[in-house]
Amino acid sequence: MKTTINCFIPCTGAAQVEKTIEGLQATGLVNNIYLLMAPDVTAKVEGCSSLHMKSFQSSSAMRDIAAHSDADYTLLYTKDTTLELGLFALERMIHIAEDSGAGMVYADHYQVTEGKQTNAPVIDYQFGSLRDDFNFGSVLLFKTEAFKEAALRMEDDQYHFAGLYDLRLKVSQKYPLVHINEYLYSEVENDTRKSGEKIFDYVDPKNRVRQIEMEKACTAHLKEIGGYLAPEFKHIEFDAGNFEYEASVIIPVRNRIRTIRDAIRSVLNQKTDFKYNLIVIDNHSTDGTTEAIDEFKDDERLIHIIPERNDLGIGGCWNLGVHHPQCGKFAVQLDSDDVYKDENTLKIMVNAFYEQNCAMVVGTYMMTDFNMNMIAPGIIDHKEWTPENGRNNALRINGLGAPRAFYTPVLREVKVPNTSYGEDYALGLNFSRQYQIGRVYDVVYLCRRWDDNSDASLDIVKMNGHNLYKDRIRTWELQARVAMNKQK
């Protein structure tokens, strides 16, 4: 018997879906096409049926789609722009799905933006790929049996935004989600923002309700796979080691002549009732940064380190600073692009350790332009964090915030991954496995966005590399948590 597919396509009007439908019907594999419409949309297209729903991402939408999935495979297209399938693309997707036993397959593709076609490769799904914004592309081909089974387990869910996310998590519990690294279709892309603008969508206050739903779905998934951690934490006495300084600010830097003086001044201007210093790890700068740092050499609080090694990323520089004999009891982060909000930041961050009995503290920052004027999305407070569930939700989100500060004895034991991206996130996950992470919700840090930021405008290959690495971090951490729970 010939394999068949039921297709489900968002529809805002007949003209919008015309070319997409023609392409699907031309494959000869399509059994039925259902147009997913908002309640106020009326569009009749020959050979298609209509399904009205308030939200295409909702739990009820997933259940409705499952109820109408009577073919071997269920294709869900997630964009309301034109889809153009490659030659024999659906045959290829079915072939891989059957060979791999996948519950869902997805593929590399092309994006057409303002008439220009570019490659849009995606990354492999893995155990720790829990981000709700994981990029599968817009064509998701499910084995209908897997889709229906997952939807059946969603009977009690009433998500408005997290339905599709919840469904794919449930599918992943019993089936592999398989990436086909072949370019199988083209989609029209209307989001032309730079990567540095997109990465903050998940902390935009207007998305708060959506984030709460995503957290709930992710937490339920963690409980089902044995990766959930109850809010039970190790107590800290803060008496390990013999520290001359209460705190050290750590600044790794390479070629930041335009910003390093501002960063250093913002540290040396701190007002505290404890002894602190500043450790700058100058990673072989060549643009005058080294000389700029030396302008402050008369201040005995400044320790200027130029590594003997040439293989250090940001994390490696952090390790040098943290293991320096004059590093303080608490190590506090400041990026060489950024500044502390005022002279009270360091005191606020250090106090939080004692007030909240935590091994790591994360503050609140404000996004600014180079001249420190606030820009969108403004204040990033990560209020999605809660003491009860923060360390579980941390596996879903893409970062924890800034500035970050650590209890040095624990950081010396854990050590910082020698990378220049994701090292702080890895620490947050690792620390939170056993210790509480404290939060400061007042703005204490100004994060400057400008063209030289490391993530201001990444090409898709570099962005995929970053996302793949963070998913590996999540996978390692999730595996550790599952193993830890089994030992209890």
Side-chain angles (χ1 to χ4, degrees):
M1 186 175 71
K2 186 176 182 180
T3 302
T4 57
I5 304 173
N6 277 4
C7 302
F8 297 83
I9 307 167
C11 176
T12 58
Q16 170 248 320
V17 296
E18 181 179 359
K19 289 184 178 180
T20 300
I21 291 170
E22 288 178 2
L24 290 169
Q25 291 174 334
T27 66
L29 296 170
V30 174
N31 184 36
N32 291 304
I33 297 177
Y34 292 91
L35 305 179
L36 309 181
M37 303 180 186
D40 59 345
V41 174
T42 56
K44 292 186 177 181
V45 179
E46 186 176 350
C48 300
S49 303
S50 300
L51 291 178
H52 287 88
M53 50 190 64
K54 291 182 179 180
S55 168
F56 304 151
Q57 301 282 332
S58 66
S59 302
S60 60
M62 296 303 106
R63 290 191 290 267
D64 204 3
I65 290 171
H68 290 84
S69 298
D70 56 3
D72 301 299
Y73 287 88
T74 299
L75 185 148
L76 181 57
Y77 182 52
T78 61
K79 286 183 177 288
D80 58 6
T81 56
T82 300
L83 166 67
E84 182 180 345
L85 292 169
L87 185 64
F88 300 124
L90 292 187
E91 286 92 334
R92 182 61 172 162
M93 295 182 84
I94 290 171
H95 182 77
I96 298 300
E98 292 180 346
D99 284 352
S100 65
M104 186 191 89
V105 295
Y106 61 103
D108 295 347
H109 50 282
Y110 300 106
Q111 285 186 341
V112 180
T113 305
E114 298 176 348
K116 182 181 179 181
Q117 179 176 291
T118 57
N119 291 355
V122 290
I123 63 176
D124 289 351
Y125 194 88
Q126 52 187 300
F127 187 52
S129 296
L130 301 185
R131 290 179 294 120
D132 56 88
D133 62 351
F134 185 95
N135 182 16
F136 294 100
S138 57
V139 176
L140 312 179
L141 185 68
F142 293 89
K143 186 176 182 180
T144 296
E145 175 186 320
F147 194 103
K148 283 180 170 291
E149 191 278 335
L152 189 63
R153 288 188 285 134
M154 295 172 65
E155 285 186 348
D156 295 331
D157 298 329
Q158 300 298 330
Y159 298 129
H160 184 75
F161 300 101
L164 179 56
Y165 174 59
D166 184 30
L167 181 121
R168 65 101 157 162
L169 290 176
K170 285 180 165 57
V171 170
S172 74
Q173 292 167 9
K174 299 191 176 183
Y175 299 86
L177 306 187
V178 174
H179 167 213
I180 305 173
N181 50 327
E182 302 169 9
Y183 292 84
L184 297 184
Y185 63 93
S186 299
E187 62 181 20
V188 175
E189 176 58 63
N190 289 332
D191 189 349
T192 60
R193 294 176 299 161
K194 294 179 179 180
S195 63
E197 297 170 341
K198 295 178 183 179
I199 60 174
F200 296 104
D201 286 351
Y202 74 104
V203 288
D204 193 320
K206 72 175 184 291
N207 294 326
R208 182 75 187 110
V209 175
R210 180 181 184 279
Q211 291 301 312
I212 291 173
E213 283 197 5
M214 297 296 180
E215 178 181 355
K216 184 178 178 182
C218 183
T219 303
H221 172 70
L222 292 174
K223 289 179 178 178
E224 290 180 41
I225 65 174
Y228 171 81
L229 296 182
E232 300 165 356
F233 306 95
K234 283 187 176 180
H235 185 80
I236 306 173
E237 296 296 337
F238 297 116
D239 57 0
N242 183 22
F243 293 95
E244 178 183 356
Y245 295 90
E246 179 76 353
S248 290
V249 175
I250 308 288
I251 304 180
V253 61
R254 178 178 170 83
N255 293 342
R256 283 293 185 268
I257 185 60
R258 294 180 62 189
T259 59
I260 188 61
R261 293 184 182 91
D262 292 338
I264 291 174
R265 289 191 192 100
S266 79
V267 176
L268 299 181
N269 288 336
Q270 293 298 299
K271 295 181 179 179
T272 67
D273 52 6
F274 52 78
K275 193 176 181 180
Y276 76 92
N277 60 19
L278 166 61
I279 302 176
V280 179
I281 303 89
D282 175 13
N283 200 8
H284 307 287
S285 296
T286 58
D287 68 343
T289 293
T290 301
E291 292 74 17
I293 298 168
D294 283 341
E295 294 173 12
F296 299 87
K297 63 185 178 182
D298 290 340
D299 193 315
E300 61 181 12
R301 293 172 296 175
L302 174 63
I303 300 171
H304 183 184
I305 301 173
I306 299 177
E308 295 180 4
R309 306 182 64 102
N310 293 299
D311 60 352
L312 299 180
I314 291 174
C317 290
W318 256 86
N319 283 329
L320 276 188
V322 169
H323 285 85
H324 191 281
Q326 289 183 275
C327 183
K329 182 187 294 186
F330 303 107
V332 187
Q333 166 253 340
L334 178 60
D335 286 353
S336 57
D337 295 305
D338 304 330
V339 297
Y340 291 150
K341 174 180 176 283
D342 56 34
E343 67 274 10
N344 299 311
T345 292
L346 192 55
K347 184 176 181 179
I348 291 171
M349 295 295 289
V350 168
N351 287 346
F353 282 97
Y354 297 104
E355 292 167 355
Q356 301 178 50
N357 194 257
C358 48
M360 178 177 174
V361 173
V362 183
T364 293
Y365 63 97
M366 183 172 71
M367 300 294 300
T368 76
D369 60 19
F370 185 82
N371 297 316
M372 295 184 236
N373 301 305
M374 186 172 72
I375 59 174
I379 295 174
I380 309 296
D381 53 21
H382 282 274
K383 285 189 175 178
E384 77 282 347
W385 183 277
T386 62
E388 296 76 22
N389 200 51
R391 60 179 175 175
N392 295 302
N393 194 41
L395 288 164
R396 177 187 67 87
I397 60 178
N398 230 10
L400 301 181
R404 299 165 291 278
F406 308 90
Y407 181 42
T408 297
V410 177
L411 185 55
R412 284 176 172 172
E413 179 182 344
V414 171
K415 298 180 179 63
V416 188
N418 185 26
T419 68
S420 293
Y421 179 83
E423 74 288 341
D424 50 348
Y425 181 64
L427 288 175
L429 292 183
N430 194 303
F431 269 63
S432 69
R433 191 190 311 168
Q434 297 183 340
Y435 299 98
Q436 181 65 277
I437 293 183
R439 306 297 306 209
V440 171
Y441 289 117
D442 295 323
V443 174
V444 291
Y445 192 93
L446 303 183
C447 181
R448 295 203 281 193
R449 305 299 293 174
W450 59 303
D451 290 342
D452 279 3
N453 282 140
S454 59
D455 56 1
S457 183
L458 301 178
D459 62 47
I460 194 164
V461 174
K462 192 69 175 289
M463 190 165 56
N464 280 348
H466 284 180
N467 286 331
L468 188 64
Y469 176 58
K470 275 198 172 180
D471 278 358
R472 287 299 300 153
I473 290 170
R474 294 183 182 95
T475 296
W476 294 325
E477 180 63 30
L478 186 53
Q479 289 169 334
R481 294 182 183 195
V482 170
M484 187 172 72
N485 283 334
K486 286 182 179 178
Q487 295 172 0
K488 290 181 178 179

